[in-house]
Amino acid sequence: MNKGAFAAQKIFNEFGLDDLSEFSVEDLIHARDIILEEKKIQNADGRIVFGNNKSKISVNSDIKHSGRRRFTLAHELGHFEMHHNINTQLEDNSLTLDYFKSGNQEYEANQFATELLMPQSSFLNFITGKLFSPALLREIAEHFQTSITSATFRYLEIGKHPISVFYSKDKKVIYWKNSPNYFRKVKEITRLAPPDDSVAMEFYKAGTIYTKNDSAQEIVKSTWFETKDYDSADAYYEFAIVTKDFNTVLSVVWED
Ligand SMILES: [Zn+2]
């Protein structure tokens, strides 16, 4: 078990919980005697300040989606549980909340929030027998009351159907990741613009955001991956999860 998941399980044990169906994240924050405030924060979803006697978590009051707000709170609580003695203050913009980069502490806080909101066993139970689709990611986010982004990362790590994700901001690919054991060679795109024929690029060029029913857009393998002559022309799909206020796209790519 990773450090973040371990810290989340420790909280479950301490409070005698299997999951967060009875307790809210706010309950846990209050139980830790942390001050919680909602206010406008420029360019960040949340932050935590560690005081000598008390700590304070702030969450951006402009966050529209309750799932994203809840993931932010869980992430900040994770900092409290694990990084209390290392820092005096941590601030989280969309980048740090988006999982794989910007240092160990951020990854640990995300792992903590992921296990707290979507415990592995509950998650696997929930997806068993369900086919992968954008609708499933929405269903997961709704069921576990978290953001679709965090539901996607959870699925990437332990879901049944292999997927790849490509994260871009301001028309630049920042990182990508494949499901474990999904070997697709990604084109050289890091720090460059997303591919011209990608759904992500449609957003950056024309502001296109597809409706729920059209979330799965058909692309080709060569959109994001290296191809060889013998590659078949199997259909690939891209679901672009756009966060307009940070100008980011999380592209989810998969085959049937
Ligand atoms: Zn953080």
PDB file of all heavy atoms in Angstrom, residues 126 130 133-144:
ATOM      1  N   PHE A 126     -17.647  -1.538  -7.240  1.00  0.00           N
ATOM      2  CA  PHE A 126     -18.531  -0.678  -8.016  1.00  0.00           C
ATOM      3  C   PHE A 126     -18.362  -0.876  -9.521  1.00  0.00           C
ATOM      4  O   PHE A 126     -19.337  -0.838 -10.274  1.00  0.00           O
ATOM      5  CB  PHE A 126     -18.304   0.792  -7.657  1.00  0.00           C
ATOM      6  CG  PHE A 126     -19.293   1.717  -8.306  1.00  0.00           C
ATOM      7  CD1 PHE A 126     -20.580   1.835  -7.808  1.00  0.00           C
ATOM      8  CD2 PHE A 126     -18.949   2.446  -9.441  1.00  0.00           C
ATOM      9  CE1 PHE A 126     -21.514   2.668  -8.418  1.00  0.00           C
ATOM     10  CE2 PHE A 126     -19.875   3.289 -10.054  1.00  0.00           C
ATOM     11  CZ  PHE A 126     -21.162   3.400  -9.538  1.00  0.00           C
ATOM     12  N   LYS A 130     -19.016  -3.648 -15.255  1.00  0.00           N
ATOM     13  CA  LYS A 130     -19.421  -2.458 -16.022  1.00  0.00           C
ATOM     14  C   LYS A 130     -18.403  -2.181 -17.121  1.00  0.00           C
ATOM     15  O   LYS A 130     -17.200  -2.180 -16.873  1.00  0.00           O
ATOM     16  CB  LYS A 130     -19.543  -1.246 -15.101  1.00  0.00           C
ATOM     17  CG  LYS A 130     -20.689  -1.399 -14.098  1.00  0.00           C
ATOM     18  CD  LYS A 130     -20.833  -0.163 -13.216  1.00  0.00           C
ATOM     19  CE  LYS A 130     -22.076  -0.265 -12.354  1.00  0.00           C
ATOM     20  NZ  LYS A 130     -21.826  -0.038 -10.929  1.00  0.00           N
ATOM     21  N   SER A 133     -16.570   3.487 -20.213  1.00  0.00           N
ATOM     22  CA  SER A 133     -17.098   4.565 -21.076  1.00  0.00           C
ATOM     23  C   SER A 133     -16.995   5.872 -20.290  1.00  0.00           C
ATOM     24  O   SER A 133     -16.833   5.841 -19.069  1.00  0.00           O
ATOM     25  CB  SER A 133     -18.564   4.311 -21.424  1.00  0.00           C
ATOM     26  OG  SER A 133     -19.358   4.486 -20.259  1.00  0.00           O
ATOM     27  N   PRO A 134     -17.105   7.003 -20.979  1.00  0.00           N
ATOM     28  CA  PRO A 134     -17.159   8.274 -20.246  1.00  0.00           C
ATOM     29  C   PRO A 134     -18.312   8.290 -19.238  1.00  0.00           C
ATOM     30  O   PRO A 134     -18.181   8.855 -18.145  1.00  0.00           O
ATOM     31  CB  PRO A 134     -17.381   9.306 -21.358  1.00  0.00           C
ATOM     32  CG  PRO A 134     -16.749   8.693 -22.558  1.00  0.00           C
ATOM     33  CD  PRO A 134     -17.043   7.217 -22.436  1.00  0.00           C
ATOM     34  N   ALA A 135     -19.433   7.656 -19.604  1.00  0.00           N
ATOM     35  CA  ALA A 135     -20.574   7.619 -18.686  1.00  0.00           C
ATOM     36  C   ALA A 135     -20.206   6.893 -17.391  1.00  0.00           C
ATOM     37  O   ALA A 135     -20.642   7.285 -16.302  1.00  0.00           O
ATOM     38  CB  ALA A 135     -21.766   6.938 -19.359  1.00  0.00           C
ATOM     39  N   LEU A 136     -19.372   5.849 -17.512  1.00  0.00           N
ATOM     40  CA  LEU A 136     -18.953   5.133 -16.302  1.00  0.00           C
ATOM     41  C   LEU A 136     -18.116   6.047 -15.407  1.00  0.00           C
ATOM     42  O   LEU A 136     -18.290   6.053 -14.182  1.00  0.00           O
ATOM     43  CB  LEU A 136     -18.163   3.860 -16.655  1.00  0.00           C
ATOM     44  CG  LEU A 136     -17.632   3.091 -15.430  1.00  0.00           C
ATOM     45  CD1 LEU A 136     -18.767   2.622 -14.523  1.00  0.00           C
ATOM     46  CD2 LEU A 136     -16.766   1.909 -15.854  1.00  0.00           C
ATOM     47  N   LEU A 137     -17.222   6.836 -16.007  1.00  0.00           N
ATOM     48  CA  LEU A 137     -16.410   7.755 -15.196  1.00  0.00           C
ATOM     49  C   LEU A 137     -17.305   8.756 -14.464  1.00  0.00           C
ATOM     50  O   LEU A 137     -17.082   9.073 -13.293  1.00  0.00           O
ATOM     51  CB  LEU A 137     -15.386   8.490 -16.074  1.00  0.00           C
ATOM     52  CG  LEU A 137     -14.305   7.614 -16.714  1.00  0.00           C
ATOM     53  CD1 LEU A 137     -13.384   8.459 -17.590  1.00  0.00           C
ATOM     54  CD2 LEU A 137     -13.487   6.877 -15.649  1.00  0.00           C
ATOM     55  N   ARG A 138     -18.349   9.224 -15.156  1.00  0.00           N
ATOM     56  CA  ARG A 138     -19.290  10.148 -14.501  1.00  0.00           C
ATOM     57  C   ARG A 138     -20.041   9.463 -13.370  1.00  0.00           C
ATOM     58  O   ARG A 138     -20.267  10.042 -12.310  1.00  0.00           O
ATOM     59  CB  ARG A 138     -20.294  10.692 -15.523  1.00  0.00           C
ATOM     60  CG  ARG A 138     -19.686  11.657 -16.505  1.00  0.00           C
ATOM     61  CD  ARG A 138     -20.768  12.507 -17.181  1.00  0.00           C
ATOM     62  NE  ARG A 138     -20.147  13.308 -18.217  1.00  0.00           N
ATOM     63  CZ  ARG A 138     -19.992  12.911 -19.482  1.00  0.00           C
ATOM     64  NH1 ARG A 138     -20.469  11.724 -19.854  1.00  0.00           N
ATOM     65  NH2 ARG A 138     -19.387  13.674 -20.359  1.00  0.00           N
ATOM     66  N   GLU A 139     -20.413   8.201 -13.632  1.00  0.00           N
ATOM     67  CA  GLU A 139     -21.124   7.416 -12.615  1.00  0.00           C
ATOM     68  C   GLU A 139     -20.255   7.230 -11.368  1.00  0.00           C
ATOM     69  O   GLU A 139     -20.729   7.348 -10.244  1.00  0.00           O
ATOM     70  CB  GLU A 139     -21.412   6.026 -13.201  1.00  0.00           C
ATOM     71  CG  GLU A 139     -22.848   5.563 -13.175  1.00  0.00           C
ATOM     72  CD  GLU A 139     -22.917   4.166 -13.772  1.00  0.00           C
ATOM     73  OE1 GLU A 139     -23.015   4.031 -15.008  1.00  0.00           O
ATOM     74  OE2 GLU A 139     -22.839   3.207 -12.988  1.00  0.00           O
ATOM     75  N   ILE A 140     -18.975   6.924 -11.600  1.00  0.00           N
ATOM     76  CA  ILE A 140     -18.045   6.737 -10.476  1.00  0.00           C
ATOM     77  C   ILE A 140     -17.942   8.027  -9.671  1.00  0.00           C
ATOM     78  O   ILE A 140     -18.045   8.032  -8.446  1.00  0.00           O
ATOM     79  CB  ILE A 140     -16.643   6.320 -10.993  1.00  0.00           C
ATOM     80  CG1 ILE A 140     -16.696   4.932 -11.626  1.00  0.00           C
ATOM     81  CG2 ILE A 140     -15.620   6.346  -9.863  1.00  0.00           C
ATOM     82  CD1 ILE A 140     -15.433   4.571 -12.425  1.00  0.00           C
ATOM     83  N   ALA A 141     -17.752   9.149 -10.397  1.00  0.00           N
ATOM     84  CA  ALA A 141     -17.598  10.442  -9.719  1.00  0.00           C
ATOM     85  C   ALA A 141     -18.833  10.755  -8.885  1.00  0.00           C
ATOM     86  O   ALA A 141     -18.736  11.244  -7.754  1.00  0.00           O
ATOM     87  CB  ALA A 141     -17.341  11.545 -10.735  1.00  0.00           C
ATOM     88  N   GLU A 142     -20.004  10.445  -9.437  1.00  0.00           N
ATOM     89  CA  GLU A 142     -21.244  10.751  -8.722  1.00  0.00           C
ATOM     90  C   GLU A 142     -21.408   9.827  -7.513  1.00  0.00           C
ATOM     91  O   GLU A 142     -21.737  10.276  -6.415  1.00  0.00           O
ATOM     92  CB  GLU A 142     -22.425  10.601  -9.680  1.00  0.00           C
ATOM     93  CG  GLU A 142     -23.707  11.114  -9.083  1.00  0.00           C
ATOM     94  CD  GLU A 142     -24.781  11.281 -10.150  1.00  0.00           C
ATOM     95  OE1 GLU A 142     -24.416  11.591 -11.305  1.00  0.00           O
ATOM     96  OE2 GLU A 142     -25.960  11.077  -9.827  1.00  0.00           O
ATOM     97  N   HIS A 143     -21.164   8.554  -7.733  1.00  0.00           N
ATOM     98  CA  HIS A 143     -21.342   7.584  -6.646  1.00  0.00           C
ATOM     99  C   HIS A 143     -20.423   7.893  -5.466  1.00  0.00           C
ATOM    100  O   HIS A 143     -20.832   7.847  -4.313  1.00  0.00           O
ATOM    101  CB  HIS A 143     -21.069   6.173  -7.173  1.00  0.00           C
ATOM    102  CG  HIS A 143     -21.165   5.117  -6.127  1.00  0.00           C
ATOM    103  ND1 HIS A 143     -22.373   4.588  -5.715  1.00  0.00           N
ATOM    104  CD2 HIS A 143     -20.219   4.505  -5.362  1.00  0.00           C
ATOM    105  CE1 HIS A 143     -22.166   3.691  -4.761  1.00  0.00           C
ATOM    106  NE2 HIS A 143     -20.864   3.621  -4.534  1.00  0.00           N
ATOM    107  N   PHE A 144     -19.168   8.214  -5.767  1.00  0.00           N
ATOM    108  CA  PHE A 144     -18.197   8.469  -4.701  1.00  0.00           C
ATOM    109  C   PHE A 144     -18.085   9.961  -4.371  1.00  0.00           C
ATOM    110  O   PHE A 144     -17.219  10.353  -3.575  1.00  0.00           O
ATOM    111  CB  PHE A 144     -16.824   7.908  -5.085  1.00  0.00           C
ATOM    112  CG  PHE A 144     -16.786   6.400  -5.125  1.00  0.00           C
ATOM    113  CD1 PHE A 144     -16.884   5.723  -6.329  1.00  0.00           C
ATOM    114  CD2 PHE A 144     -16.676   5.656  -3.957  1.00  0.00           C
ATOM    115  CE1 PHE A 144     -16.859   4.332  -6.376  1.00  0.00           C
ATOM    116  CE2 PHE A 144     -16.649   4.277  -3.987  1.00  0.00           C
ATOM    117  CZ  PHE A 144     -16.746   3.604  -5.200  1.00  0.00           C
TER     118      PHE A 144
END
